[in-house]
Amino acid sequence: MSTTSTTGTTGTTAVARAPKARATSADARAYLFYVGGKLAGAAVSLLAVLVTSFFLFRIIPGDPVKAMTHGMPTSAEQMATLRRQFGLDQPMWQQFTDYCAKALSGDLGMSYQFHAPVGELIWLKLPATLLLTGVAVVIYSAIGLWLGTRSAWRHGSLGDKLNTGVALTLWSVPSFWLGLLLIITFSVGIGPIPGLFPTGGMESGTESGFAYLLDVAHHMVLPVITLVAVGYAQTLLVMRSSLLDEMGSDYLTTARAKGLRDDSVRRRHAVPNALLPTVTMVFINLGHVAAGSILVETVFSWPGLGGLFYQALSVPDLPLVQGLFVVFAGAMILMNLLADLLYPLLDPRVGR
């Protein structure tokens, strides 16, 4: 009797485990299809970026060869030699195929303006951009998430109205205009306010060691404030809107009925479910870390990729502009892909 009972119990357990195993396998297959679709979409997007980067900047008015030789006596033969050297004398379709083949192999071409490989120029300027925009993204994401959560949870309060009003105002302010105001006020000085910060650049060039780090931090204050002021506003408003949509859900009422404290309901139930739109935006902002902020870097003469892009546009330096465009867009595609792959971890319903 004992043996029969044990056998029956084991059989029942095996039967119970079978649907769970099938469900797990089905979930795994669904997730793999989901990942495959996202990877295919990212590849198509990258191909579209290559096509766009080539043709978009070909419509910029101006002749790169004439811009490079401006102010120098140059004969027609020399101009033709330069065009042949840079491949500008080839048919458009051949220029496009050569560009795509080199770009897919990691060769972004040779800069007209600096006479150096585009990849090396980008690599040289990348640390300054990562430092500036990386610090700004971390700060404004944390502030925006915190204030957005508090504003939504205390919807209609004085603090909510004040936070929302300030955020809407800052979100509508052009970043370059805000940067110029900060320079006029805190660098040049106005009225009783003395000039406290440098007007531009990344360093003074006279410091070393720990003093150098303090000098770089001193130069970063105003551009970081500019980026944070605009970025936190967007994060706050998105998080606030997303959390407000969740606050009327039945599961929050159930959680309160179980006796959970209001703080626990917000932290453990409402905020995780409201994070999906905000996660997308945070990852997009991380994609902007590679691009930096072209206008802010230009206003503050920050030696990063944004300033390099502005210099390339002024020529126009087509290989450098195209290379930077591909890097900027590629970073955005990568961050969007990572956000999509993270979604199923935050919400198991995604990808099934």
Side-chain angles (χ1 to χ4, degrees):
M1 288 295 294
S2 176
T3 303
T4 304
S5 177
T6 302
T7 303
T9 303
T10 303
T12 303
T13 303
V15 171
R17 287 176 179 172
K20 293 182 179 179
R22 287 195 296 269
T24 302
S25 177
D27 290 344
R29 286 196 301 270
Y31 182 71
L32 288 177
F33 279 118
Y34 173 79
V35 171
K38 295 301 179 182
L39 290 175
V44 172
S45 297
L46 184 58
L47 180 61
V49 166
L50 290 177
V51 174
T52 303
S53 67
F54 180 83
F55 290 104
L56 176 64
F57 299 109
R58 288 300 191 282
I59 64 176
I60 298 176
D63 185 342
V65 174
K66 288 183 179 179
M68 284 187 291
T69 58
H70 179 69
M72 296 183 292
T74 310
S75 65
E77 291 77 10
Q78 290 173 319
M79 298 281 284
T81 300
L82 286 174
R83 286 193 173 88
R84 185 168 56 254
Q85 177 184 344
F86 292 118
L88 296 175
D89 62 329
Q90 298 176 352
M92 188 67 69
W93 66 266
Q94 188 172 350
Q95 293 185 45
F96 175 68
T97 54
D98 290 345
Y99 165 70
C100 288
K102 290 180 179 179
L104 291 175
S105 65
D107 182 4
L108 297 177
M110 186 73 67
S111 168
Y112 299 160
Q113 184 179 6
F114 298 99
H115 305 287
V118 170
E120 290 184 8
L121 292 172
I122 293 175
W123 188 253
L124 184 65
K125 297 291 186 180
L126 183 60
T129 291
L130 292 180
L131 176 64
L132 177 65
T133 54
V135 170
V137 166
V138 170
I139 293 175
Y140 72 62
S141 295
I143 294 175
L145 287 172
W146 180 63
L147 289 179
T149 301
R150 294 180 63 87
S151 292
W153 205 251
R154 300 175 181 179
H155 175 60
S157 66
L158 178 61
D160 172 43
K161 293 177 181 178
L162 181 62
N163 283 331
T164 305
V166 172
L168 286 172
T169 302
L170 291 175
W171 199 6
S172 63
V173 172
S175 57
F176 73 91
W177 184 75
L178 180 59
L180 290 173
L181 284 182
L182 291 177
I183 290 175
I184 293 172
T185 305
F186 297 105
S187 293
V188 178
I190 183 171
I193 302 176
L196 301 173
F197 300 100
T199 56
M202 182 178 173
E203 58 185 69
S204 301
T206 58
E207 306 294 344
S208 62
F210 184 69
Y212 171 78
L213 297 178
L214 292 178
D215 183 47
V216 172
H218 191 217
H219 283 75
M220 285 177 60
V221 172
L222 292 186
V224 166
I225 289 176
T226 304
L227 292 172
V228 168
V230 177
Y232 107 90
Q234 181 185 16
T235 310
L236 182 151
L237 292 172
V238 171
M239 185 61 193
R240 178 181 180 274
S241 175
S242 180
L243 187 54
L244 283 175
D245 290 339
E246 294 291 331
M247 285 177 60
S249 301
D250 293 336
Y251 69 90
L252 295 183
T253 304
T254 303
R256 291 189 180 95
K258 290 181 178 179
L260 293 179
R261 293 185 303 171
D262 199 57
D263 182 63
S264 297
V265 173
R266 180 182 72 244
R267 188 178 65 255
R268 294 171 55 186
H269 297 278
V271 171
N273 285 284
L275 276 178
L276 285 183
T278 312
V279 165
T280 302
M281 190 194 58
V282 169
F283 272 86
I284 289 175
N285 291 335
L286 289 175
H288 281 304
V289 169
S293 178
I294 297 173
L295 294 177
V296 172
E297 287 193 11
T298 302
V299 167
F300 288 96
S301 301
W302 190 264
L305 295 181
L308 186 65
F309 189 74
Y310 177 79
Q311 287 179 285
L313 278 176
S314 63
V315 172
D317 189 339
L318 294 180
L320 185 53
V321 170
Q322 291 168 175
L324 286 167
F325 184 82
V326 169
V327 170
F328 296 165
M332 296 294 296
I333 292 171
L334 176 61
M335 289 300 107
N336 273 305
L337 176 62
L338 291 178
D340 289 336
L341 298 182
L342 182 63
Y343 277 174
L345 301 179
L346 297 176
D347 188 349
R349 297 170 297 180
V350 178
R352 294 185 179 178

